[in-house]
Amino acid sequence: MPYRGDPDALVFDPKYEPRKICQYFRSLEDLFTVNGITRDSDKREYVLDYVEYDVEEFWEFRAPLVLYADFVKKVLSFYMDTEFKTLQTPAASALPQPSLTLSPIPKGEPGL
């Protein structure tokens, strides 16, 4: 897995690209598969590695230690008003696939 800040590392910035959150998680799932990352705790750490510190802190506070799939759903819920459907690819089986309806981003929330 690339290190944070590496030119090949994923980046998600909700201030500028909130609609790319699903792409971010799908790309991470592909990297987890390629790199043999299977433990929920490791996946969660990598998810948090590729966002700015204020976003990391917000996600950790609002989505406390839970199973990885639940963590992903919770994080997605911060950015989307949706009913989740499971993706069909085995690598992304834990990822929900949201509809395209977005909620307004609350003002004043850290990381949003």
Side-chain angles (χ1 to χ4, degrees):
M1 297 287 291
Y3 292 104
R4 180 188 295 200
D6 187 283
D8 293 329
L10 291 173
V11 176
F12 173 69
D13 189 340
K15 293 177 213 141
Y16 302 106
E17 303 177 313
R19 293 178 185 217
K20 292 187 177 182
I21 185 80
C22 292
Q23 177 184 0
Y24 174 70
F25 279 107
R26 280 193 293 269
S27 295
L28 277 168
E29 283 297 323
D30 290 341
L31 284 172
F32 295 156
T33 299
V34 168
N35 290 283
I37 310 279
T38 58
R39 290 182 13 201
D40 279 5
S41 60
D42 293 339
K43 289 179 179 184
R44 184 184 171 105
E45 286 302 312
Y46 281 113
V47 167
L48 297 172
D49 273 350
Y50 300 125
V51 296
E52 295 296 324
Y53 180 74
D54 60 335
V55 177
E56 175 184 356
E57 196 171 58
F58 177 77
W59 288 0
E60 284 184 313
F61 176 75
R62 298 289 298 265
L65 294 174
V66 292
L67 295 173
Y68 177 71
D70 294 334
F71 172 74
V72 171
K73 287 179 185 179
K74 184 70 174 177
V75 169
L76 289 174
S77 76
F78 300 150
Y79 302 96
M80 301 182 165
D81 179 18
T82 183
E83 291 183 19
F84 296 108
K85 298 178 183 174
T86 304
L87 294 174
Q88 300 303 310
T89 59
S93 62
L95 276 180
Q97 184 174 10
S99 69
L100 296 177
T101 306
L102 298 177
S103 296
I105 298 174
K107 295 185 187 265
E109 293 279 351
L112 295 179

